[in-house]
Amino acid sequence: MRQLLAWLVLFLLLIAQSPPASAIYASPVQAGCYIAAANDCRVHVDPFTVYLASGTKLVTVRLILIQEGTGTQTTVYDWRPDLSSPAPSSGDTYSPSIPSQDLGVGCGKSFSLSLQGRDTGDSSDYNLGLTTAFTCPSTLP
Amino acid sequence: MKRHLKPLAAAACVLVLIAASSAQAVVTSSPFAAACFAARRGCRVTVDPFTLQVPPGQHLARFQIGLGTSTVYDFHTDRSNPPSGSYTPTMPRLGFAARCSASATARLSAQDTGDGAPVILAETTSIVCPVPEPGALAQSAGAVLALITGCVGRRLARGKAR
């Protein structure tokens, strides 16, 4: 009986000590790179949805390109909500609009794309998704 | 000897069946269609929406759209949650760059987590990109000329002012 109680206390202590889990998450992020014109490459991102912790609001959504080889990180999309009426206006999900002309990048390079976000319950940005590396075409077909 | 042969033959049959079924387990696609058109600057290829079907137990790793021998679109999925089942990607609104007056076949290839390399799923017949309209060429030549004359004019004006 004592042993059982000791295990229970240990379990409760572990629960109390573990950091609170981030409730913000997103649907998978998928993206690709294409050539739109000579020396004009763009990254196209499929629509995604951000799921927030209940009762919180969205603070930021970022798309970050990580160049293969160098590891250089570039924010190519930085989304912010209305200060007085932050999104979502109702519910706990939000799907930001992706630019219809897509995101400009350098041709002939390889990148992976990271989706990062934060809600009002988070103290910092969380990585919500990451693609494997895709390669931008270098020349016109 | 014959007694030993029967189970061996059965095992061989099972292995052949397994090999055949695993060979079929690749990503499949709905029909794939593409078109080339003359845009404001050069020619572009648009691809009609398509759906990829990933075999059970596998996840989509990537797909590529090729034009002739070149890859014009390289698409990769989420590292931790790649899609399974069916997936319908959205296509770039602008379309892909192509050479005017040239013809090429468009092809779709994809790779799931069980494949070693992308597998060609579909290919179109040869697509002919139009010859750019003479009007469009004259228009762009005119625009370049106007830009040059504008720059020269501004420099001259600056020089006079000095």
Side-chain angles (χ1 to χ4, degrees), chain A residues 22-107:
Chain A
S22 157
I24 188 170
Y25 66 99
S27 61
V29 60
Q30 345 264 7
C33 191
Y34 67 98
I35 185 158
N39 300 316
D40 178 2
C41 285
R42 298 179 191 211
V43 168
H44 178 73
V45 185
D46 272 0
F48 57 86
T49 300
V50 179
Y51 297 83
L52 309 165
S54 184
T56 63
K57 298 289 181 186
L58 199 51
V59 175
T60 178
V61 175
R62 281 198 188 100
L63 288 170
I64 293 161
L65 278 173
I66 305 160
Q67 195 178 327
E68 286 294 293
T70 62
T72 309
Q73 298 194 5
T74 313
T75 301
V76 287
Y77 177 81
D78 190 9
W79 179 96
R80 305 292 166 131
D82 190 299
L83 268 178
S84 49
S85 306
S89 51
S90 63
D92 298 319
T93 62
Y94 193 80
S95 301
S97 310
I98 308 290
S100 62
Q101 304 260 321
D102 299 319
L103 314 158
V105 282
C107 290

Side-chain angles (χ1 to χ4, degrees), chain A residues 20 32 42 82 86 106 112 120 139:
Chain A
R42 298 179 191 211
D82 190 299
S112 47
T120 46
T139 51

Side-chain angles (χ1 to χ4, degrees), chain A residues 26-31 45-48 63 113-115 128-132, chain B residues 75-79 81 87:
Chain A
S27 61
V29 60
Q30 345 264 7
V45 185
D46 272 0
F48 57 86
L63 288 170
L113 185 80
S114 164
L115 168 64
L128 309 179
L130 181 69
T131 69
T132 49
Chain B
F75 177 96
H76 282 241
T77 56
D78 194 289
R79 272 181 212 219
N81 290 303
Y87 188 74

Side-chain angles (χ1 to χ4, degrees), chain B:
Chain B
M1 186 64 181
K2 275 184 182 174
R3 267 188 207 168
H4 294 291
L5 279 176
K6 267 190 180 176
L8 269 175
C13 274
V14 169
L15 284 173
V16 165
L17 281 171
I18 289 171
S21 64
S22 63
Q24 283 171 352
V26 290
V27 182
T28 54
S29 161
S30 62
F32 177 69
C36 191
F37 65 98
R40 195 183 271 181
R41 286 189 302 153
C43 285
R44 289 181 184 281
V45 165
T46 51
V47 172
D48 285 353
F50 58 85
T51 298
L52 297 169
Q53 195 67 45
V54 183
Q58 304 292 344
H59 295 271
L60 182 67
R62 69 195 291 198
F63 76 80
Q64 290 178 322
I65 292 172
L67 202 60
T69 53
S70 308
T71 299
V72 289
Y73 190 44
D74 184 24
F75 177 96
H76 282 241
T77 56
D78 194 289
R79 272 181 212 219
S80 47
N81 290 303
S84 57
S86 67
Y87 188 74
T88 306
T90 58
M91 285 291 113
R93 217 172 115 185
L94 288 171
F96 310 109
R99 282 185 197 278
C100 290
S101 316
S103 54
T105 56
R107 70 173 189 283
L108 172 66
S109 51
Q111 182 180 351
D112 67 33
T113 40
D115 301 324
V119 178
I120 295 174
L121 308 182
E123 200 165 14
T124 66
T125 50
S126 188
I127 301 166
V128 181
C129 286
V131 178
E133 274 183 48
L137 270 177
Q139 224 176 357
S140 48
V144 170
L145 201 67
L147 195 75
I148 293 167
T149 48
C151 285
V152 172
R154 252 176 273 153
R155 276 205 172 176
L156 282 173
R158 246 183 264 159
K160 273 183 189 172
R162 277 177 196 166

